[in-house]
């Protein structure tokens, strides 16, 4: 769908990229989806975000909002509409070194945040890939490398600056606009455009990092023992694993991260993982935290990682759940399965405290397939695990629709999210496809809010 944009207002002169611009090729798409927006606006400050929203509404253009572009649903671009790309809003400022309070603009990437905080000895647990943008992850959840020690990224957010659909710039925290503050921590996509966050960082310079490759037993016992150990391990330990097919069997690639400043503390916490299966590779190092989300991750997003992804949260996997996850990899669908530890500090937060209500589960399981396989293959591979899941996480769902909404925002949380999305965006400028089920990148009237993202499924994780 091609469309010629009307002249942008003077306040946005020089900030618009259209198909004739040489920059368009690197700004049109997301990490997972190739798109053809009518234009990409690159605001430098909150006032220009306000002007961009007003311009898009006056022109009756579908809006997509991009902070990084790793979102699995592709909602950070569209066809024929306007993309408000926040990448020039990328400043990182330490407000109070003693308390660790940091102001971060939504278009920063987590690799840049880690690098900026390293001289202060501060870290923020924030996904697993340095190219992910701050805005989407810090409004959806944030399952990072230190998640069990320090909680989700949203659990450390202390204030936000939000541009609402009517162009109002609002600061929200626990005392001011508390309902908006509740909403943006877990369901920010339908609230408006968060342009900046105040986040409480944590003192941490180095971390213990163990990398293992293990043969995964086909009966699921390897996965079950991994999940069982992580559910009750000391909370300094967080871990992610990827199950991928290898012949008729599967391999399990594990990255375990210990929030400790010495190998003497890290090694005993990792040791039980060496007993869950035949170890093919193993090394443990003490590394600066930015090594986990390095600036080497930074790259343009041009639709290079197409795929279909869904997920479920589990209190425990048990024999049946672990077997189902393993069969999803070794069966006909040949899905890639990721496992993430949650629990620990995540579950210290009351379920009603934020729009992320899942505060009793210990394991996040993510299933992905890649072309030529599609949604039908994924659903068949995932079916055995899906029925045992107890909730889902918005940042790892590539097909947002009302059924996904019900898993992500169950019960009273979902009712409150719907009510507040309507309050803060009565005209549906940022209406999420979670409500309509319509693809937000189609160029149809459905409009996308701030995309969600928290890392990205890869065929193999290094």
């Amino acid at each position: 769908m091609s469309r010629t944009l009307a002249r942008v207002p003077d306040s946005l002169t020089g900030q618009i990229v259209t198909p004739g611009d040489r920059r368009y090729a690197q700004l049109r798409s997301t990490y997972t989806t190739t798109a053809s927006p009518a234009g990409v606006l690159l605001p430098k400050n909150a006032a220009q975000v306000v002007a961009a929203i007003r311009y898009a509404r006056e022109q009756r253009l579908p809006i997509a909002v991009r902070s990084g572009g790793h979102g699995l649903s592709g909602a950070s671009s569209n066809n024929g509409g306007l993309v408000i790309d926040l990448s020039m809003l990328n400043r990182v400022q330490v407000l109070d070194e003693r308390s660790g309070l940091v102001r971060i603009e939504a278009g920063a990437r987590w690799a840049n945040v880690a690098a900026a905080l390293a001289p202060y000895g501060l870290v923020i647990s924030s996904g697993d890939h340095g190219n992910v943008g701050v805005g989407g992850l810090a409004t959806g959840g944030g399952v990072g490398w230190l998640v069990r020690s320090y909680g989700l990224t949203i659990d450390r957010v202390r204030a936000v600056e939000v541009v609402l659909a009517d162009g109002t710039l609002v600061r929200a925290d626990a005392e001011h606009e508390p309902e908006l503050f509740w909403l943006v921590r877990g369901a920010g996509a339908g609230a408006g455009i968060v342009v900046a966050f105040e986040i409480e960082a944590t003192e941490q310079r180095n971390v213990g990092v163990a990398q293992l490759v293990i043969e995964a037993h086909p009966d699921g016992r390897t996965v079950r023992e991994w999940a069982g150990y992580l559910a009750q391990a000391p909370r300094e330990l967080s871990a992610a694993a990827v199950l991928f097919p290898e012949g008729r069997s599967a391999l399990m690639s594990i990255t375990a991260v210990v929030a400790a400043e010495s190998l003497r503390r890290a090694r005993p916490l990792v040791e039980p993982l060496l007993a869950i299966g035949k170890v093919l590779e193993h090394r443990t190092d003490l590394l600066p935290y930015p090594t986990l989300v390095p600036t080497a991750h930074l790259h343009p997003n041009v639709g290079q990682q197409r795929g279909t992804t869904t997920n479920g949260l589990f209190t425990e996997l048990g024999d049946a759940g672990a077997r189902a996850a393993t069969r999803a990899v070794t069966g006909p669908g040949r899905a890639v399965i990721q496992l993430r530890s949650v629990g620990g500090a995540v579950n210290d937060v009351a379920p009603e405290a934020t729009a992320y209500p899942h505060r009793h589960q210990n394991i996040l399981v993510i299933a992905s397939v890649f072309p030529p396989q599609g949604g039908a293959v994924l659903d068949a591979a995932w079916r055995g695990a899906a029925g045992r899941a107890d909730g889902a996480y918005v940042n790892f769902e590539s097909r947002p629709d009302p059924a996904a909404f019900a898993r992500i925002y169950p019960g009273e949380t979902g009712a409150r999210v719907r009510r507040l999305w309507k309050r803060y965006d009565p005209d549906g400028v940022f209406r999420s496809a979670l409500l309509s089920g319509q693809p937000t990148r189609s160029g149809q009237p459905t409009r996308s809010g701030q995309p969600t993202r928290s890392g990205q499924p890869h065929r193999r994780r290094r």
Side-chain angles (χ1 to χ4, degrees):
M1 174 179 169
S2 61
R3 179 168 180 173
T4 302
L5 294 178
R7 193 179 79 84
V8 298
D10 292 342
S11 60
L12 295 172
T13 299
Q15 304 306 114
I16 183 78
V17 176
T18 54
D21 191 305
R22 61 181 176 81
R23 297 171 292 173
Y24 182 79
Q26 292 198 337
L27 292 172
R28 62 186 288 186
S29 301
T30 76
Y31 187 52
T32 62
T33 308
T34 302
S36 298
V40 180
L41 266 169
L42 297 160
K44 293 182 177 180
N45 51 49
Q48 289 187 336
V49 174
V50 171
I53 292 175
R54 289 176 176 166
Y55 171 75
R57 296 196 69 175
E58 288 167 1
Q59 299 300 315
R60 302 183 62 82
L61 289 165
I63 296 175
V65 184
R66 176 187 302 153
S67 62
H70 262 242
L72 295 180
S73 69
S76 54
S77 193
N78 60 29
N79 293 321
L82 188 73
V83 176
I84 300 176
D85 185 307
L86 304 177
S87 58
M88 299 185 78
L89 278 162
N90 58 16
R91 288 171 285 272
V92 180
Q93 179 185 6
V94 177
L95 301 177
D96 185 341
E97 189 172 348
R98 179 171 295 181
S99 68
L101 191 64
V102 182
R103 182 181 184 274
I104 307 172
E105 292 181 335
R109 309 293 174 101
W110 287 110
N112 300 125
V113 174
L117 297 185
Y120 299 92
L122 296 172
V123 304
I124 296 171
S125 184
S126 52
D128 67 356
H129 198 278
N131 198 45
V132 171
V134 167
L137 182 137
T139 55
V143 180
W145 287 120
L146 301 173
V147 62
R148 297 185 70 251
S149 299
Y150 303 132
L152 303 171
T153 307
I154 60 169
D155 297 339
R156 295 279 172 161
V157 173
R158 299 294 174 253
V160 292
E161 299 164 35
V162 189
V163 179
L164 301 178
D166 65 0
T168 306
L169 177 61
V170 179
R171 176 185 166 87
D173 57 30
E175 285 75 42
H176 307 91
E177 295 284 349
E179 288 285 87
L180 180 60
F181 186 54
W182 178 89
L183 181 65
V184 300
R185 291 175 297 153
I193 301 179
V194 182
V195 294
F197 303 80
E198 291 180 13
I199 301 178
E200 186 179 307
T202 305
E203 290 187 27
Q204 189 85 39
R205 291 188 182 274
N206 300 308
V207 289
V209 180
Q211 294 178 302
L212 304 85
V213 178
I214 294 175
E215 287 186 358
H217 198 281
D219 69 1
R221 73 180 68 169
T222 310
V223 171
R224 184 194 69 229
E225 291 180 13
W226 181 90
Y229 175 56
L230 263 298
Q232 54 83 42
R235 62 174 56 190
E236 296 103 307
L237 177 68
S238 302
V242 181
L243 278 170
F244 52 88
E246 185 75 9
R248 295 184 178 180
S249 188
L251 296 181
M252 191 172 187
S253 176
I254 301 171
T255 299
V257 179
V258 183
E261 295 283 353
S262 72
L263 286 176
R264 182 177 59 82
R265 175 60 181 161
R267 284 192 173 114
L269 272 65
V270 171
E271 205 165 83
L273 295 174
L274 302 177
I276 66 174
K278 182 180 179 182
V279 178
L280 305 179
E281 298 177 23
H282 166 229
R283 64 175 295 161
T284 302
D285 301 285
L286 190 68
L287 300 171
Y289 177 79
T291 305
L292 293 171
V293 284
T295 53
H297 282 172
L298 300 176
H299 56 71
N301 296 314
V302 292
Q304 64 266 50
Q305 184 64 84
R306 300 172 188 273
T308 309
T309 294
T310 192
N311 74 90
L313 286 154
F314 298 79
T315 303
E316 60 179 25
L317 279 179
D319 291 339
R323 188 161 53 247
T326 305
R327 284 179 179 170
V329 175
T330 58
R334 312 293 275 179
V336 174
I337 294 289
Q338 296 183 80
L339 305 121
R340 306 287 178 90
S341 63
V342 282
V346 176
N347 293 356
D348 291 343
V349 178
E352 68 276 7
T354 69
Y356 180 97
H358 308 291
R359 302 295 184 166
H360 64 272
Q361 298 93 331
N362 291 303
I363 303 296
L364 170 64
V365 183
I366 304 145
S368 302
V369 296
F370 302 92
Q373 296 170 322
V377 172
L378 176 63
D379 292 339
W382 179 242
R383 190 169 293 120
R388 296 176 172 84
D390 178 18
Y393 174 38
V394 68
N395 284 4
F396 279 114
E397 178 55 62
S398 67
R399 296 174 295 176
D401 60 20
F405 182 97
R407 297 193 304 272
I408 295 162
Y409 305 116
E412 176 52 35
T413 295
R416 190 175 177 187
V417 167
R418 287 176 182 270
R419 187 166 64 247
L420 292 177
W421 278 355
K422 182 67 173 176
R423 178 196 298 183
Y424 291 109
D425 181 17
D427 298 325
V429 174
F430 303 111
R431 183 170 294 127
S432 171
L434 286 165
L435 296 181
S436 66
Q438 297 177 26
T440 56
R441 58 184 180 271
S442 67
Q444 300 302 313
T446 297
R447 294 167 178 176
S448 65
Q450 193 137 330
T452 51
R453 59 194 72 76
S454 179
Q456 180 68 29
H458 299 275
R459 295 174 189 271
R460 299 192 183 191
R461 184 177 303 284
R462 294 187 295 275

